[in-house]
Amino acid sequence: FHRREQMAKLRAIVRSLATTAYSALGLLPDPSGTRHRDPAIARQMIDWLGVLESKTRNNLSFEESDFLARVLYELRLAFVEVTRPARR
């Protein structure tokens, strides 16, 4: 029971940071329905998730570690796509 509760809390933290990052990339609307881009905020959320991954390495279950790695991978790809200079 305790382990499942901890996993749920970790997922909530990761989802919260990821949602903030996606919103800062302009991929999700804010609560008012407006889309804004603030790549610096997105980068900060991605960096924080990277720190979380680094500091919890070898302390997470496979499922937790895989979830965090997949979220980070997807966010990093989205960041590159959104911040890439427009092609001519």
Coordinates of all heavy atoms in Angstrom, one line a residue:
F1 N 0.8 -1.2 0.0 CA 0.0 0.0 0.0 C 0.9 1.2 0.0 O 0.7 2.1 -0.8 CB -0.9 0.0 1.2 CG -1.7 1.3 1.4 CD1 -2.7 1.6 0.5 CD2 -1.4 2.1 2.4 CE1 -3.4 2.8 0.7 CE2 -2.1 3.3 2.6 CZ -3.1 3.6 1.7
H2 N 1.8 1.3 0.9 CA 2.7 2.5 1.0 C 3.4 2.7 -0.3 O 3.6 3.9 -0.7 CB 3.6 2.3 2.2 CG 4.5 3.5 2.4 ND1 4.0 4.7 2.8 CD2 5.8 3.7 2.3 CE1 5.0 5.6 2.9 NE2 6.1 5.0 2.6
R3 N 3.9 1.7 -0.9 CA 4.7 1.8 -2.2 C 3.8 2.4 -3.3 O 4.3 3.2 -4.1 CB 5.3 0.4 -2.5 CG 6.1 0.4 -3.8 CD 7.5 0.9 -3.4 NE 8.3 0.9 -4.6 CZ 9.1 1.8 -5.0 NH1 9.3 2.9 -4.3 NH2 9.8 1.7 -6.1
R4 N 2.6 1.9 -3.4 CA 1.7 2.4 -4.4 C 1.4 3.9 -4.2 O 1.3 4.6 -5.1 CB 0.4 1.6 -4.4 CG 0.4 0.6 -5.5 CD -1.0 -0.1 -5.6 NE -1.2 -0.9 -4.5 CZ -2.3 -1.4 -4.1 NH1 -3.4 -1.2 -4.8 NH2 -2.4 -2.2 -3.1
E5 N 1.3 4.3 -2.9 CA 1.0 5.7 -2.6 C 2.2 6.5 -3.0 O 2.0 7.6 -3.6 CB 0.7 5.8 -1.1 CG 0.3 7.2 -0.7 CD 0.0 7.2 0.8 OE1 -0.9 6.5 1.2 OE2 0.6 8.0 1.5
Q6 N 3.4 6.1 -2.8 CA 4.6 6.8 -3.2 C 4.7 6.9 -4.7 O 5.1 7.9 -5.2 CB 5.8 6.1 -2.6 CG 6.1 6.4 -1.2 CD 7.4 5.8 -0.7 OE1 7.9 4.8 -1.2 NE2 8.0 6.4 0.3
M7 N 4.3 5.8 -5.4 CA 4.4 5.8 -6.8 C 3.4 6.9 -7.4 O 3.7 7.6 -8.3 CB 4.1 4.5 -7.4 CG 4.3 4.4 -8.9 SD 4.2 2.7 -9.4 CE 4.3 2.9 -11.2
A8 N 2.2 6.9 -6.8 CA 1.2 7.9 -7.2 C 1.7 9.3 -7.0 O 1.5 10.2 -7.8 CB -0.1 7.6 -6.5
K9 N 2.3 9.5 -5.9 CA 2.9 10.9 -5.6 C 4.0 11.3 -6.6 O 4.0 12.4 -7.1 CB 3.4 11.0 -4.2 CG 2.3 11.0 -3.1 CD 2.8 11.0 -1.7 CE 1.6 11.0 -0.7 NZ 2.1 11.0 0.7
L10 N 4.9 10.3 -6.9 CA 5.9 10.6 -7.9 C 5.3 10.9 -9.2 O 5.7 11.9 -9.9 CB 6.9 9.4 -8.0 CG 7.9 9.6 -9.1 CD1 9.0 10.6 -8.6 CD2 8.6 8.3 -9.4
R11 N 4.3 10.2 -9.6 CA 3.7 10.4 -10.9 C 3.0 11.8 -10.9 O 3.0 12.5 -11.9 CB 2.7 9.3 -11.2 CG 3.3 8.1 -11.7 CD 2.2 7.0 -12.0 NE 2.8 5.8 -12.5 CZ 2.9 5.5 -13.8 NH1 2.5 6.3 -14.7 NH2 3.5 4.4 -14.2
A12 N 2.4 12.2 -9.8 CA 1.8 13.5 -9.7 C 2.8 14.6 -9.9 O 2.5 15.6 -10.6 CB 1.0 13.6 -8.4
I13 N 3.9 14.5 -9.2 CA 5.0 15.5 -9.3 C 5.5 15.6 -10.8 O 5.6 16.7 -11.3 CB 6.2 15.1 -8.4 CG1 5.7 15.3 -6.9 CG2 7.4 16.0 -8.7 CD1 6.7 14.7 -5.9
V14 N 5.7 14.4 -11.4 CA 6.2 14.4 -12.8 C 5.2 15.0 -13.7 O 5.5 15.8 -14.5 CB 6.6 13.0 -13.2 CG1 6.9 12.9 -14.7 CG2 7.8 12.5 -12.4
R15 N 3.9 14.6 -13.5 CA 2.9 15.2 -14.4 C 2.8 16.7 -14.2 O 2.5 17.4 -15.2 CB 1.6 14.5 -14.1 CG 1.4 13.2 -14.7 CD -0.1 12.7 -14.6 NE -0.1 11.3 -14.9 CZ -0.4 10.4 -13.9 NH1 -0.6 10.8 -12.7 NH2 -0.4 9.1 -14.2
S16 N 2.9 17.2 -13.0 CA 2.7 18.6 -12.7 C 3.8 19.4 -13.4 O 3.6 20.4 -14.1 CB 2.8 18.9 -11.2 OG 2.7 20.2 -11.0
L17 N 5.1 18.9 -13.3 CA 6.2 19.6 -13.9 C 6.1 19.5 -15.5 O 6.4 20.5 -16.2 CB 7.5 19.0 -13.4 CG 7.9 19.3 -12.0 CD1 9.1 18.5 -11.5 CD2 8.1 20.8 -11.7
A18 N 5.7 18.3 -15.9 CA 5.6 18.1 -17.4 C 4.5 19.0 -18.0 O 4.6 19.6 -19.0 CB 5.3 16.7 -17.7
T19 N 3.3 19.1 -17.3 CA 2.2 20.0 -17.7 C 2.7 21.4 -17.8 O 2.4 22.1 -18.8 CB 1.0 19.8 -16.8 OG1 0.6 18.4 -16.9 CG2 -0.1 20.7 -17.2
T20 N 3.4 21.9 -16.8 CA 3.9 23.2 -16.8 C 4.9 23.4 -18.0 O 4.8 24.4 -18.7 CB 4.7 23.5 -15.5 OG1 3.7 23.4 -14.4 CG2 5.2 24.9 -15.5
A21 N 5.7 22.4 -18.3 CA 6.6 22.5 -19.4 C 5.9 22.6 -20.7 O 6.1 23.4 -21.6 CB 7.6 21.4 -19.4
Y22 N 4.9 21.7 -20.9 CA 4.1 21.7 -22.2 C 3.4 23.0 -22.3 O 3.3 23.5 -23.4 CB 3.1 20.5 -22.2 CG 3.8 19.2 -22.6 CD1 3.8 18.1 -21.7 CD2 4.4 19.0 -23.8 CE1 4.3 16.9 -22.1 CE2 5.0 17.8 -24.2 CZ 5.0 16.8 -23.3 OH 5.5 15.6 -23.7
S23 N 2.8 23.5 -21.3 CA 2.2 24.8 -21.3 C 3.1 25.9 -21.7 O 2.8 26.8 -22.5 CB 1.5 25.1 -20.0 OG 0.8 26.3 -20.0
A24 N 4.3 25.9 -21.1 CA 5.3 26.9 -21.4 C 5.8 26.8 -22.9 O 6.3 27.8 -23.4 CB 6.5 26.8 -20.4
L25 N 5.7 25.7 -23.5 CA 6.1 25.5 -24.8 C 4.9 25.9 -25.8 O 5.1 25.9 -27.0 CB 6.5 24.0 -25.1 CG 7.8 23.6 -24.5 CD1 7.9 22.0 -24.7 CD2 8.9 24.3 -25.1
G26 N 3.8 26.3 -25.2 CA 2.7 26.7 -26.0 C 1.9 25.5 -26.6 O 1.0 25.7 -27.4
L27 N 2.1 24.3 -26.0 CA 1.4 23.1 -26.5 C 0.2 22.8 -25.8 O -0.6 22.0 -26.2 CB 2.4 21.9 -26.5 CG 3.7 22.1 -27.3 CD1 4.6 21.0 -27.1 CD2 3.3 22.2 -28.8
L28 N 0.0 23.4 -24.6 CA -1.2 23.3 -23.8 C -1.7 24.7 -23.4 O -0.8 25.5 -23.1 CB -1.0 22.5 -22.5 CG -0.7 21.0 -22.6 CD1 -0.4 20.5 -21.2 CD2 -1.9 20.3 -23.2
P29 N -3.0 24.9 -23.4 CA -3.4 26.3 -23.0 C -3.3 26.4 -21.5 O -3.4 25.4 -20.7 CB -4.9 26.3 -23.4 CG -5.3 24.9 -23.5 CD -4.1 24.1 -23.9
D30 N -3.2 27.6 -21.0 CA -3.2 27.9 -19.6 C -4.6 27.8 -19.1 O -5.6 27.6 -19.9 CB -2.5 29.2 -19.2 CG -3.3 30.4 -19.8 OD1 -4.5 30.3 -20.1 OD2 -2.6 31.5 -19.8
P31 N -4.9 28.0 -17.8 CA -6.3 27.8 -17.3 C -7.3 28.8 -18.0 O -8.5 28.5 -18.0 CB -6.1 28.1 -15.8 CG -4.7 27.7 -15.5 CD -3.9 28.1 -16.7
S32 N -6.8 29.9 -18.5 CA -7.7 30.9 -19.1 C -8.0 30.4 -20.6 O -8.8 31.1 -21.3 CB -7.1 32.3 -19.1 OG -6.0 32.4 -20.0
G33 N -7.3 29.4 -21.1 CA -7.5 28.9 -22.4 C -6.5 29.6 -23.4 O -6.5 29.3 -24.6
T34 N -5.6 30.4 -22.9 CA -4.6 31.1 -23.8 C -3.3 30.2 -23.9 O -3.0 29.6 -22.9 CB -4.3 32.5 -23.2 OG1 -5.5 33.2 -23.0 CG2 -3.4 33.3 -24.1
R35 N -2.7 30.3 -25.0 CA -1.4 29.6 -25.2 C -0.3 30.6 -25.2 O -0.4 31.6 -25.9 CB -1.4 28.8 -26.5 CG -2.3 27.6 -26.4 CD -2.3 26.9 -27.8 NE -3.4 25.9 -27.8 CZ -3.2 24.6 -27.7 NH1 -2.0 24.1 -27.5 NH2 -4.2 23.7 -27.7
H36 N 0.7 30.4 -24.4 CA 1.9 31.3 -24.3 C 3.1 30.4 -24.5 O 3.1 29.3 -24.1 CB 2.0 31.9 -22.9 CG 0.8 32.7 -22.6 ND1 0.6 34.0 -23.0 CD2 -0.3 32.5 -21.7 CE1 -0.6 34.5 -22.6 NE2 -1.1 33.6 -21.8
R37 N 4.1 31.1 -25.0 CA 5.4 30.4 -25.1 C 6.4 31.1 -24.2 O 6.6 32.3 -24.3 CB 6.0 30.5 -26.5 CG 5.4 29.3 -27.4 CD 6.3 29.1 -28.6 NE 5.6 28.1 -29.4 CZ 5.9 27.9 -30.6 NH1 6.9 28.7 -31.2 NH2 5.3 27.0 -31.3
D38 N 7.0 30.3 -23.3 CA 8.1 30.8 -22.5 C 9.1 29.6 -22.4 O 9.1 28.9 -21.4 CB 7.6 31.2 -21.1 CG 8.6 31.9 -20.3 OD1 9.8 31.8 -20.6 OD2 8.2 32.6 -19.3
P39 N 10.0 29.5 -23.4 CA 11.0 28.4 -23.4 C 11.9 28.3 -22.2 O 12.3 27.2 -21.8 CB 11.8 28.7 -24.7 CG 10.9 29.5 -25.5 CD 10.1 30.4 -24.6
A40 N 12.1 29.5 -21.5 CA 13.0 29.4 -20.3 C 12.3 28.7 -19.2 O 12.9 27.9 -18.5 CB 13.3 30.8 -19.9
I41 N 11.0 28.8 -19.0 CA 10.2 28.1 -18.0 C 10.2 26.6 -18.4 O 10.4 25.8 -17.5 CB 8.8 28.7 -17.9 CG1 8.8 30.1 -17.3 CG2 7.9 27.8 -17.0 CD1 9.3 30.2 -15.9
A42 N 10.0 26.3 -19.7 CA 9.9 24.9 -20.1 C 11.3 24.3 -19.8 O 11.3 23.2 -19.3 CB 9.6 24.8 -21.6
R43 N 12.4 25.0 -20.1 CA 13.7 24.4 -19.9 C 13.9 24.2 -18.4 O 14.5 23.1 -18.0 CB 14.8 25.4 -20.4 CG 16.2 25.2 -20.1 CD 16.8 23.8 -20.3 NE 16.7 23.3 -21.6 CZ 16.7 22.0 -21.9 NH1 16.8 21.1 -20.9 NH2 16.6 21.5 -23.1
Q44 N 13.4 25.1 -17.6 CA 13.6 24.9 -16.1 C 12.9 23.6 -15.6 O 13.4 22.9 -14.9 CB 13.1 26.1 -15.4 CG 13.3 26.0 -13.9 CD 12.8 27.3 -13.2 OE1 11.8 27.9 -13.5 NE2 13.6 27.7 -12.2
M45 N 11.6 23.4 -16.1 CA 10.9 22.2 -15.7 C 11.6 21.0 -16.2 O 11.7 20.0 -15.4 CB 9.5 22.3 -16.3 CG 8.6 23.4 -15.8 SD 8.4 23.5 -14.0 CE 9.4 25.0 -13.6
I46 N 12.1 21.0 -17.4 CA 12.8 19.8 -17.9 C 14.1 19.6 -17.1 O 14.4 18.4 -16.8 CB 13.1 20.0 -19.4 CG1 11.8 20.0 -20.2 CG2 14.1 18.9 -20.0 CD1 12.0 20.5 -21.7
D47 N 14.8 20.6 -16.8 CA 16.0 20.5 -16.0 C 15.6 19.9 -14.6 O 16.4 19.0 -14.1 CB 16.7 21.8 -15.8 CG 17.4 22.3 -17.1 OD1 17.5 21.5 -18.0 OD2 17.8 23.5 -17.1
W48 N 14.5 20.4 -14.0 CA 14.1 19.9 -12.7 C 13.8 18.4 -12.8 O 14.2 17.6 -11.9 CB 12.9 20.6 -12.1 CG 13.3 22.0 -11.6 CD1 14.5 22.6 -11.6 CD2 12.4 23.0 -11.2 NE1 14.4 23.9 -11.1 CE2 13.1 24.1 -10.8 CE3 11.0 23.0 -11.0 CZ2 12.5 25.3 -10.3 CZ3 10.4 24.1 -10.5 CH2 11.2 25.3 -10.1
L49 N 13.1 18.0 -13.8 CA 12.8 16.6 -14.0 C 14.1 15.8 -14.2 O 14.2 14.6 -13.7 CB 11.9 16.4 -15.2 CG 10.4 16.7 -14.9 CD1 9.6 16.8 -16.2 CD2 9.8 15.7 -14.0
G50 N 15.1 16.4 -14.9 CA 16.4 15.7 -15.1 C 17.1 15.5 -13.7 O 17.7 14.5 -13.5
V51 N 17.0 16.5 -12.9 CA 17.6 16.4 -11.5 C 16.9 15.3 -10.7 O 17.5 14.5 -10.1 CB 17.5 17.8 -10.8 CG1 17.9 17.6 -9.3 CG2 18.4 18.8 -11.4
L52 N 15.5 15.3 -10.8 CA 14.8 14.2 -10.1 C 15.2 12.9 -10.6 O 15.4 12.0 -9.8 CB 13.3 14.5 -10.4 CG 12.3 13.5 -9.7 CD1 12.4 13.7 -8.1 CD2 10.9 13.8 -10.1
E53 N 15.4 12.7 -11.9 CA 15.8 11.4 -12.5 C 17.2 11.1 -11.9 O 17.4 9.9 -11.5 CB 15.8 11.5 -14.0 CG 16.3 10.2 -14.6 CD 16.3 10.3 -16.1 OE1 17.0 11.3 -16.7 OE2 15.8 9.4 -16.8
S54 N 18.1 12.0 -12.0 CA 19.5 11.8 -11.5 C 19.5 11.4 -10.0 O 20.2 10.5 -9.6 CB 20.3 13.1 -11.8 OG 21.5 13.0 -11.2
K55 N 18.8 12.2 -9.2 CA 18.8 12.0 -7.8 C 18.1 10.7 -7.3 O 18.3 10.2 -6.2 CB 18.3 13.2 -7.0 CG 19.2 14.4 -7.1 CD 20.5 14.1 -6.5 CE 21.3 15.3 -6.3 NZ 22.6 15.0 -5.6
T56 N 17.2 10.2 -8.1 CA 16.4 9.0 -7.7 C 16.9 7.7 -8.4 O 16.4 6.7 -8.2 CB 14.9 9.2 -8.0 OG1 14.7 9.4 -9.4 CG2 14.3 10.3 -7.1
R57 N 18.0 7.9 -9.2 CA 18.5 6.7 -10.0 C 18.8 5.6 -9.0 O 19.4 5.8 -7.9 CB 19.8 7.2 -10.7 CG 20.3 6.1 -11.7 CD 21.3 6.6 -12.7 NE 20.5 7.3 -13.7 CZ 20.9 8.6 -14.1 NH1 21.9 9.2 -13.6 NH2 20.2 9.2 -15.0
N58 N 18.4 4.4 -9.4 CA 18.6 3.2 -8.6 C 17.7 3.1 -7.3 O 17.9 2.2 -6.5 CB 20.1 2.9 -8.2 CG 20.9 2.8 -9.4 OD1 20.5 2.2 -10.4 ND2 22.1 3.3 -9.4
N59 N 16.8 4.1 -7.2 CA 15.9 4.1 -6.0 C 14.5 3.9 -6.5 O 13.6 3.9 -5.6 CB 16.0 5.4 -5.2 CG 17.1 5.3 -4.2 OD1 17.5 4.2 -3.7 ND2 17.7 6.4 -3.8
L60 N 14.2 3.9 -7.8 CA 12.9 3.8 -8.3 C 12.6 2.4 -8.8 O 13.6 1.7 -9.2 CB 12.7 4.8 -9.4 CG 12.8 6.3 -9.1 CD1 12.6 7.1 -10.3 CD2 11.8 6.7 -8.0
S61 N 11.4 2.0 -8.8 CA 11.0 0.7 -9.5 C 11.2 0.9 -11.0 O 11.3 2.0 -11.5 CB 9.5 0.4 -9.2 OG 8.7 1.3 -9.9
F62 N 11.2 -0.2 -11.7 CA 11.3 -0.1 -13.2 C 10.2 0.8 -13.8 O 10.4 1.6 -14.6 CB 11.2 -1.5 -13.8 CG 11.2 -1.5 -15.3 CD1 12.3 -1.2 -16.0 CD2 10.0 -1.6 -16.0 CE1 12.3 -1.1 -17.4 CE2 9.9 -1.5 -17.3 CZ 11.1 -1.3 -18.1
E63 N 9.0 0.6 -13.3 CA 7.8 1.3 -13.8 C 8.0 2.8 -13.6 O 7.7 3.7 -14.4 CB 6.5 0.9 -13.2 CG 6.1 -0.5 -13.6 CD 6.8 -1.6 -12.7 OE1 7.5 -1.3 -11.7 OE2 6.7 -2.8 -13.2
E64 N 8.5 3.2 -12.4 CA 8.7 4.6 -12.0 C 9.8 5.2 -12.9 O 9.6 6.3 -13.5 CB 9.0 4.8 -10.6 CG 7.9 4.4 -9.6 CD 8.4 4.3 -8.2 OE1 9.5 3.8 -8.0 OE2 7.6 4.6 -7.3
S65 N 10.9 4.5 -13.0 CA 12.0 5.0 -13.8 C 11.7 5.1 -15.2 O 12.0 6.1 -15.9 CB 13.2 4.0 -13.6 OG 14.3 4.4 -14.3
D66 N 11.0 4.1 -15.8 CA 10.5 4.1 -17.2 C 9.6 5.3 -17.4 O 9.7 6.0 -18.4 CB 9.9 2.8 -17.5 CG 9.5 2.7 -19.0 OD1 10.4 2.8 -19.8 OD2 8.3 2.5 -19.3
F67 N 8.6 5.5 -16.5 CA 7.7 6.6 -16.7 C 8.4 8.0 -16.7 O 8.2 8.8 -17.6 CB 6.7 6.6 -15.5 CG 5.8 7.8 -15.5 CD1 4.8 7.9 -16.5 CD2 5.9 8.8 -14.5 CE1 3.9 9.0 -16.4 CE2 5.0 9.9 -14.5 CZ 4.0 10.0 -15.4
L68 N 9.3 8.2 -15.8 CA 10.1 9.4 -15.7 C 11.0 9.6 -17.0 O 11.0 10.7 -17.6 CB 11.0 9.5 -14.5 CG 11.8 10.7 -14.2 CD1 11.0 12.0 -14.3 CD2 12.5 10.6 -12.9
A69 N 11.6 8.5 -17.4 CA 12.5 8.6 -18.6 C 11.7 8.9 -19.9 O 12.1 9.7 -20.7 CB 13.2 7.3 -18.8
R70 N 10.5 8.3 -20.0 CA 9.6 8.5 -21.2 C 9.1 10.0 -21.2 O 9.1 10.6 -22.2 CB 8.5 7.6 -21.2 CG 8.9 6.2 -21.7 CD 7.7 5.2 -21.9 NE 7.1 4.9 -20.6 CZ 5.9 5.2 -20.3 NH1 5.1 5.9 -21.0 NH2 5.4 4.8 -19.1
V71 N 8.7 10.5 -20.0 CA 8.2 11.9 -20.0 C 9.4 12.8 -20.3 O 9.2 13.8 -21.1 CB 7.7 12.2 -18.6 CG1 7.5 13.7 -18.4 CG2 6.4 11.4 -18.3
L72 N 10.5 12.6 -19.8 CA 11.7 13.4 -20.1 C 12.0 13.4 -21.6 O 12.3 14.4 -22.2 CB 12.9 13.0 -19.3 CG 13.1 13.8 -18.0 CD1 14.2 13.2 -17.2 CD2 13.5 15.3 -18.3
Y73 N 12.0 12.2 -22.2 CA 12.3 12.1 -23.6 C 11.3 12.9 -24.5 O 11.7 13.6 -25.4 CB 12.3 10.6 -24.0 CG 12.5 10.3 -25.4 CD1 13.8 10.4 -26.0 CD2 11.4 10.0 -26.3 CE1 13.9 10.1 -27.4 CE2 11.6 9.8 -27.6 CZ 12.9 9.8 -28.2 OH 13.0 9.6 -29.5
E74 N 10.1 12.7 -24.2 CA 9.0 13.4 -24.9 C 9.1 14.9 -24.8 O 8.9 15.6 -25.7 CB 7.6 12.9 -24.5 CG 7.4 11.4 -25.0 CD 6.2 10.8 -24.4 OE1 5.3 11.5 -23.8 OE2 6.0 9.6 -24.5
L75 N 9.4 15.3 -23.6 CA 9.5 16.8 -23.3 C 10.7 17.4 -24.0 O 10.6 18.5 -24.6 CB 9.7 17.1 -21.8 CG 8.4 17.2 -21.0 CD1 8.7 17.3 -19.5 CD2 7.6 18.4 -21.5
R76 N 11.8 16.6 -24.0 CA 13.0 17.1 -24.7 C 12.8 17.2 -26.2 O 13.2 18.2 -26.8 CB 14.2 16.2 -24.4 CG 14.7 16.4 -22.9 CD 15.8 15.5 -22.5 NE 16.3 15.8 -21.2 CZ 16.7 14.9 -20.3 NH1 16.7 13.6 -20.6 NH2 17.2 15.2 -19.2
L77 N 12.1 16.2 -26.8 CA 11.8 16.3 -28.2 C 10.9 17.5 -28.5 O 11.1 18.2 -29.5 CB 11.1 15.0 -28.6 CG 12.0 13.8 -28.9 CD1 11.1 12.6 -29.3 CD2 13.0 14.1 -29.9
A78 N 9.9 17.7 -27.7 CA 9.0 18.8 -27.9 C 9.7 20.1 -27.8 O 9.4 21.1 -28.6 CB 7.8 18.7 -26.9
F79 N 10.6 20.2 -26.8 CA 11.4 21.5 -26.6 C 12.2 21.8 -27.9 O 12.2 22.9 -28.4 CB 12.3 21.4 -25.4 CG 13.1 22.6 -25.1 CD1 12.5 23.6 -24.3 CD2 14.3 22.8 -25.6 CE1 13.2 24.8 -24.0 CE2 15.0 24.0 -25.4 CZ 14.4 25.0 -24.6
V80 N 12.9 20.8 -28.4 CA 13.7 21.0 -29.6 C 12.8 21.4 -30.8 O 13.1 22.3 -31.5 CB 14.5 19.7 -30.0 CG1 15.1 19.8 -31.4 CG2 15.5 19.5 -28.9
E81 N 11.6 20.7 -31.0 CA 10.7 21.1 -32.0 C 10.2 22.5 -31.9 O 10.2 23.2 -32.9 CB 9.5 20.1 -32.1 CG 9.8 18.8 -32.7 CD 10.1 18.9 -34.2 OE1 9.3 19.6 -34.9 OE2 11.0 18.2 -34.6
V82 N 9.8 22.9 -30.8 CA 9.2 24.2 -30.6 C 10.3 25.3 -30.7 O 10.0 26.4 -31.2 CB 8.5 24.3 -29.2 CG1 8.1 25.7 -28.8 CG2 7.2 23.4 -29.3
T83 N 11.5 25.1 -30.2 CA 12.5 26.1 -30.2 C 13.4 26.1 -31.4 O 14.2 27.0 -31.5 CB 13.3 26.0 -28.9 OG1 14.0 24.8 -28.8 CG2 12.5 26.2 -27.6
R84 N 13.2 25.2 -32.3 CA 14.0 25.1 -33.5 C 13.7 26.3 -34.4 O 12.5 26.7 -34.5 CB 13.7 23.8 -34.2 CG 14.3 23.7 -35.6 CD 13.8 22.5 -36.3 NE 13.6 21.4 -35.5 CZ 13.5 20.2 -36.0 NH1 13.5 19.9 -37.2 NH2 13.2 19.2 -35.2
P85 N 14.7 27.0 -34.9 CA 14.5 28.1 -35.8 C 13.7 27.6 -37.0 O 13.8 26.5 -37.5 CB 15.9 28.5 -36.3 CG 16.8 27.9 -35.3 CD 16.2 26.7 -34.7
A86 N 12.8 28.5 -37.5 CA 12.0 28.2 -38.6 C 12.8 28.0 -39.9 O 13.8 28.6 -40.1 CB 11.0 29.4 -38.9
R87 N 12.4 27.0 -40.7 CA 13.1 26.7 -41.9 C 12.8 27.7 -43.0 O 11.6 28.2 -43.0 CB 12.8 25.3 -42.4 CG 13.2 24.2 -41.4 CD 12.9 22.9 -41.9 NE 13.3 21.9 -40.9 CZ 13.3 20.6 -41.1 NH1 12.9 20.1 -42.3 NH2 13.6 19.8 -40.1
R88 N 13.7 27.9 -43.8 CA 13.5 28.9 -44.9 C 13.0 28.2 -46.2 O 13.2 27.2 -46.5 CB 14.7 29.7 -45.2 CG 15.2 30.5 -44.1 CD 16.4 31.2 -44.4 NE 17.0 31.8 -43.2 CZ 17.8 32.8 -43.2 NH1 18.3 33.3 -44.3 NH2 18.2 33.3 -42.1

